Amino acid sequence: MPSVNDAVTDMVSLDRIPPGPASLGLDRRCFGAMILAAGVGGVLASRRAVALPAPPVAKVIDFAWFDPTRGRAVPARLYWPAVATAKERVPLIVFSHGLGGSRTGYSYLGEGWSAQGTASLHIQHVGSDQTLWEGNPLMLLSRLNGAADEHEAIERTRDVSFGLDQLLRRDNPFQAAVDRTRIVAAGHSYGANTTLILTGARVIRDGKSLGYRDLRFSASIVISAPPFYGETDLAGILASVDVPTLHVTTTEDTIRLPGRYSPVQDRIDVFSAIPTPHKALVVFRGGSHSVFTDRSLKNGGPLNPLVKRATAEVSLAFLDLVHRSDPAPLDEWCVTWKPILAAAPTPFSVPAWRPTRKLPV
């Protein structure tokens, strides 16, 4: 069976669907009719066949935090598992949205993760949030340039760390229940860059190294990562990223914004440049860059809700591998979602998981 690396190599050219665990040699023009008629239908049928009663609705709490040291608002939304108990600590994913997003976006991830017992804190970055789309449209390019510069990139990482600080404060009612050995950084698009900086990526500007690592994060989930602010030395930028990392993209994951263009190959290049062997790659067949956002399910047709559900599920399967040394959930996920995969993640060896001493709260 071809490896994930084989599939990645073949994705340099998107004239054909790359071979991989999902299927072999399908031409992209044939994919739409074949996979939507057969594969997607099969996945839908299989998911219904094993469907369980709807889980309790997560607790959703909005915070209006403010960082006085920077004079910057840090809004956030917490998805807390409805089934959480005082006896067992809860894993936490801290999520960073893409350019022009907000704390209310990516709700399918918050709901999907919390339904399986994992909390998520969605941070809103006021310097690059939904307000970018407001105001004079002639000034949009200027606003995008300001939101994507190095200063804002670092401010976003500080937003995430500040939000985590606030959630873990002694006076926060949720802090005692958070499992501090299982805190994970995650993000989409610009938020994927934020996630990588938080876990070791560094950019050189004017001879200075710009980075903002937060050692509390034990792993990262990187969805549709674009290049780093015009930098070409990805190996140098990512040389210090050493936490286990899950990368998620699609065969149609192209970024098109005023003044900006990033092809699918950029996502693959970021994955390839991560130095640690503790990494995994998921490539879905079809689905645009925005398929990972909360945009209408009509965007991407019947594939859209499948990619969303599969992304939420693979994140948790990946964390079972990282935190519990259990590859079974990831193996099962690959079998379940095989019809819509161009490249499937390969489990890697990790040290046996052991409970650590209880941390002070």
Side-chain angles (χ1 to χ4, degrees), residues 70 72-77 94-104 106 121-132 147 151-164 186-195 198 217:
R70 296 182 295 151
R72 181 173 167 113
V74 185
R77 170 167 289 188
V94 187
F95 189 85
S96 173
H97 63 71
L99 199 64
S102 75
R103 64 181 175 181
T104 64
Y106 308 90
L121 181 67
H122 295 231
I123 304 295
Q124 182 165 332
H125 306 286
V126 297
S128 52
D129 63 5
Q130 60 194 7
T131 58
L132 290 177
H151 173 77
E152 178 57 26
I154 297 302
E155 290 304 308
R156 287 172 62 97
T157 63
R158 289 173 174 163
D159 290 341
V160 171
S161 292
F162 177 79
L164 182 56
H188 172 242
S189 194
Y190 197 7
N193 286 158
T194 303
T195 295
L198 284 161
F217 292 115

Side-chain angles (χ1 to χ4, degrees), residues 212-347:
Y212 195 81
R213 184 165 192 170
D214 190 325
L215 294 175
R216 292 174 292 185
F217 292 115
S218 61
S220 63
I221 300 167
V222 178
I223 305 173
S224 302
F228 276 79
Y229 324 111
E231 294 286 337
T232 57
D233 181 18
L234 279 176
I237 291 169
L238 300 171
S240 297
V241 177
D242 56 5
V243 300
T245 305
L246 173 68
H247 298 250
V248 184
T249 185
T250 78
T251 56
E252 306 293 338
D253 190 356
T254 299
I255 300 174
R256 292 183 177 89
L257 287 171
R260 284 172 173 76
Y261 172 78
S262 174
V264 178
Q265 185 61 44
D266 287 341
R267 294 348 128 235
I268 307 304
D269 290 344
V270 169
F271 167 78
S272 299
I274 297 289
T276 174
H278 301 148
K279 61 182 179 179
L281 173 68
V282 173
V283 184
F284 292 107
R285 290 182 175 275
S288 68
H289 186 69
S290 62
V291 75
F292 296 109
T293 71
D294 272 358
R295 293 186 181 180
S296 169
L297 295 183
K298 294 180 181 178
N299 177 22
L303 188 67
N304 186 306
L306 295 179
V307 169
K308 285 177 164 56
R309 181 168 181 175
T311 300
E313 291 183 2
V314 75
S315 304
L316 299 181
F318 170 75
L319 295 181
D320 279 335
L321 175 65
V322 171
H323 292 141
R324 300 190 181 280
S325 299
D326 183 4
L330 193 58
D331 289 336
E332 181 181 352
W333 182 92
C334 292
V335 172
T336 298
W337 295 103
K338 179 179 178 180
I340 64 171
L341 293 177
T346 302

Side-chain angles (χ1 to χ4, degrees), residues 179-199:
D179 184 343
R180 302 189 187 200
T181 67
R182 291 189 286 166
I183 298 177
V184 176
H188 172 242
S189 194
Y190 197 7
N193 286 158
T194 303
T195 295
L196 288 168
I197 293 174
L198 284 161
T199 52

Side-chain angles (χ1 to χ4, degrees), residues 31 111 130 342:
F31 167 72
E111 293 166 359
Q130 60 194 7

